[in-house]
Structure formats: structure tokens, C-alpha cells
Amino acid sequence: MSSRNVVIAGGALLGAAFALLASGRGQKATDAGTAWAAGKGAKTKIMIEKVVKSDEEWRKLLTPIQYQVLRQAGTERAFSGEYWNNHEKGTYVCAACGLELFSSDTKFESGTGWPSFWAPIASNVLDEHSDATAGMMRTEVLCARCGGHLGHVFPDGPRPTGLRYCMNSAALKFVKAAQ
């Protein structure tokens, strides 16, 4: 394991520990993101109709890397995804179901090699679950419509939320803003 990966893994572990200590019982990491969205006039809730497909249907719909990330909770290699260095204006949607997830207005350079955001586009577009894989406690982020694995959220992001939604490019599609 390279020293860079050790530093990233150590930072993630410390971030997870901080999140557990800083959050109250039952408090979700996105509470800060929800408060930001409500305070800035962003959509706080949108209507979401669940999408349910068989494993065979998902395999036909998604590319192999999208399937691995979205349906099997995989992770693409750092600095290998399409959007980690994207600076265009637009919206990031779920690659599986098209649900709007993040605005480019909340994207920031985290230095991790994955697209990172400090808040979702609305308070109910993401589901979160504890994730104890890879030898650390993290908060997994899923699409609220189709249940696809998007990435993880950490409490080491910039203001105003202090959160870093570290997403896989393979789990996203970028819709460029109209000029």
C-alpha cells in the first residue's frame, strides 16, 4: 500500500471516528447538509418514486464498472473516474435511475481523486447506512430512488456543512447546464 493510500485511509478512519463522536444519537451526517439546503432555498425535498429492477435488468442497463459500483458497492480507483476533475456547471444524477443528486455548485477539490460535494441537491435524495467494511467505520451513501451505492460521506469537508460526499464517477452521470 502506498504512503498516499495509507494517509487517505488513516484520514478516513479519523473522520469516521470524529463523526461518531460529534453526532448525537440518531443524528445523520447529512443533518448539516439538510440545514444548509433549507437555509439557502435549495430544494429540501423532492418527490421520489422507487425504482426496483432485477439483477438481470441492472446488468443489461449498466456498464460493468457501473454495475460493480452501484449494485455491488464497489469503488473505482482514485483519479480514474470521469468526473473527479470536472469543473463544468451542471447537475450530477444517479447513473442507474437519473435522480438528481448533486449540483456542481457544491462540488469541491478534496484531493482524494473522487468527485466530492459538500451537500446533496435535496435532503431526501440520499440514503445512508453504517458501513464497517475495509476495516473502518464509514457512512455509506445510496441513491434514495434505486438503492445504488454512490460512495461515502465523511465529516472533513469544507464549510458551510463540513461534510465531504466522496462519490464514485461510475455511479454518476453529469448533465451540463444550459448555456
Side-chain angles (χ1 to χ4, degrees):
M1 181 180 271
S2 73
S3 60
R4 178 180 172 82
N5 289 343
V6 170
V7 169
I8 290 172
L13 184 57
L14 287 174
F18 175 77
L20 290 173
L21 292 173
S23 65
R25 184 179 178 136
Q27 182 179 7
K28 293 171 63 176
T30 54
D31 287 349
T34 301
W36 174 85
K40 297 293 184 183
K43 299 177 197 173
T44 55
K45 293 215 183 235
I46 61 173
M47 293 296 294
I48 298 175
E49 188 175 323
K50 298 287 185 180
V51 171
V52 179
K53 295 184 184 294
S54 70
D55 190 57
E56 183 178 316
E57 289 173 305
W58 284 123
R59 283 186 188 274
K60 288 179 184 175
L61 179 69
L62 303 170
T63 67
I65 185 66
Q66 288 174 328
Y67 181 83
Q68 179 189 13
V69 170
L70 286 158
R71 307 316 307 171
Q72 297 180 318
T75 301
E76 64 197 9
R77 285 187 342 270
F79 302 101
S80 70
E82 184 176 0
Y83 303 124
W84 75 270
N85 199 27
N86 182 26
H87 300 285
E88 294 186 81
K89 293 289 184 190
T91 304
Y92 293 84
V93 303
C94 176
C97 70
L99 180 64
E100 292 184 355
L101 301 171
F102 298 98
S103 166
S104 61
D105 293 338
T106 63
K107 188 173 187 285
F108 70 98
E109 293 300 321
S110 65
T112 62
W114 290 280
S116 297
F117 306 87
W118 47 264
I121 207 161
S123 63
N124 63 330
V125 298
L126 305 175
D127 285 335
E128 298 178 2
H129 301 281
S130 295
D131 178 5
T133 61
M136 62 184 101
M137 279 301 300
R138 303 179 289 180
T139 302
E140 179 184 20
V141 178
L142 307 170
C143 173
R145 180 185 283 160
C146 69
H149 170 81
L150 303 169
H152 294 87
V153 61
F154 302 96
D156 60 0
R159 291 181 177 207
T161 65
L163 299 175
R164 173 174 52 96
Y165 289 88
C166 190
M167 304 291 100
N168 288 282
S169 289
L172 305 172
K173 285 187 182 174
F174 180 70
V175 179
K176 196 173 183 179
Q179 295 294 326

